[in-house]
Amino acid sequence: MPENDRKIMSGVNKSVLLETHLFKLLNQAQLQRVVDSTRPVHLCAGQMLFTKGQQANSFYLVVTGYIRLFRSSRDGNEKIIEIVRSGGIFAEAVMFMAQPHYPVNAAAVGDSLLYCFSNKVYLELLCQSQELCFALFGDLCIRLHQLLNEIDRLSLQNARYRVVQYLNDLRSGSDTKVINLDIGKKTIASRLSITPETLSRIFRELVDDGIISISGKRIDIYAPERLKL
């Protein structure tokens, strides 16, 4: 385990929590209550966190690493719903279900460190804070719009559009011209609802067009203006 992970595992880092919208409105007493009930979880690459249908008593924050949320078909095929990166919170909406059960599977893409939060404790805090309720509802609305946009991209846009959009998302609106793919191309392809062969073909096209170059997991962007959609 990396040294930074060992330090965090020894105790919950409050500053990490305060960087998230779900906890930044908490007062000191409320934040301490969350910290006291939070459990750090370390997962190895490929290790399952929870499975579809499992009772949901907790939600999670990714501190380091990546978590893939996915569903599996009867024939064993896997559809990735989302890749949750460092700083991302997931499974928080499930706590509001009448019978809370996880609707997807969750597994680590690589070695990952998570914070596990108690649904019961957080719901009690919501009952005591109107501001916290509005913060959570605002987040859920944003996530709903993001999912609708994702459905639009996956159903109405072609494969090249999806790949270019994915690269732009990794750049996060910055001027960076270097992207490091920390997850495998097969996982990326599944997330974009295309085959690995199609992803490789589009990457080759972008290279041939002089827009990017690829060396292992590193992508150098030579013409960022041509990645605009």
Side-chain angles (χ1 to χ4, degrees):
M1 187 189 308
E3 183 61 28
N4 286 341
D5 285 7
R6 287 195 181 94
K7 291 179 180 179
I8 297 176
M9 284 288 284
S10 63
V12 175
N13 189 330
K14 290 184 180 180
S15 63
V16 173
L17 301 188
L18 290 174
E19 290 176 358
T20 68
H21 55 281
L22 294 187
F23 301 111
K24 66 183 179 181
L25 293 178
L26 298 180
N27 59 39
Q28 286 299 316
Q30 291 170 326
L31 182 62
Q32 189 59 51
R33 187 175 179 189
V34 169
V35 169
D36 291 342
S37 64
T38 299
R39 177 171 57 90
V41 176
H42 184 267
L43 300 176
C44 299
Q47 186 175 351
M48 295 292 297
L49 176 63
F50 55 73
T51 58
K52 180 178 178 293
Q54 181 179 330
Q55 184 171 346
N57 297 316
S58 308
F59 65 99
Y60 300 86
L61 166 68
V62 180
V63 182
T64 60
Y66 301 88
I67 298 295
R68 77 180 194 276
L69 305 180
F70 66 98
R71 286 191 172 188
S72 299
S73 62
R74 292 183 179 179
D75 58 7
N77 290 325
E78 181 180 295
K79 170 54 187 168
I80 295 180
I81 308 300
E82 186 176 359
I83 299 292
V84 188
R85 302 172 181 275
S86 176
I89 290 178
F90 62 99
E92 75 279 17
V94 184
M95 76 174 85
F96 297 105
M97 298 171 60
Q99 296 181 342
H101 293 87
Y102 295 116
V104 296
N105 306 300
V109 176
D111 288 353
S112 302
L113 177 65
L114 314 176
Y115 284 160
C116 174
F117 304 104
S118 165
N119 287 352
K120 180 177 182 295
V121 169
Y122 196 81
L123 285 171
E124 289 174 351
L125 291 176
L126 286 177
C127 290
Q128 301 166 4
S129 172
Q130 185 181 43
E131 291 180 330
L132 192 56
C133 287
F134 281 118
L136 178 60
F137 293 155
D139 171 68
L140 295 180
C141 288
I142 291 173
R143 289 184 62 124
L144 176 60
H145 284 292
Q146 289 173 339
L147 288 173
L148 290 174
N149 289 335
E150 183 69 15
I151 291 171
D152 178 63
R153 286 200 296 266
L154 295 180
S155 61
L156 301 179
Q157 307 299 339
N158 61 36
R160 179 165 172 141
Y161 179 100
R162 299 177 206 171
V163 174
V164 170
Q165 180 63 51
Y166 180 78
L167 294 178
N168 280 321
D169 288 344
L170 291 180
R171 296 176 68 209
S172 301
S174 67
D175 294 327
T176 181
K177 294 184 179 180
V178 177
I179 296 173
N180 291 303
L181 299 178
D182 294 331
I183 58 178
K185 292 180 181 177
K186 183 178 180 181
T187 301
I188 295 173
S190 176
R191 178 67 184 89
L192 299 178
S193 293
I194 59 178
T195 65
E197 293 76 17
T198 298
L199 178 64
S200 295
R201 174 179 58 78
I202 294 171
F203 276 159
R204 285 196 302 270
E205 291 176 355
L206 294 174
V207 170
D208 292 342
D209 291 343
I211 299 175
I212 65 173
S213 69
I214 301 177
S215 178
K217 293 186 176 182
R218 175 185 170 120
I219 296 179
D220 289 277
I221 302 174
Y222 296 134
E225 70 282 355
R226 295 176 64 188
L227 280 179
K228 294 180 180 178
L229 302 170

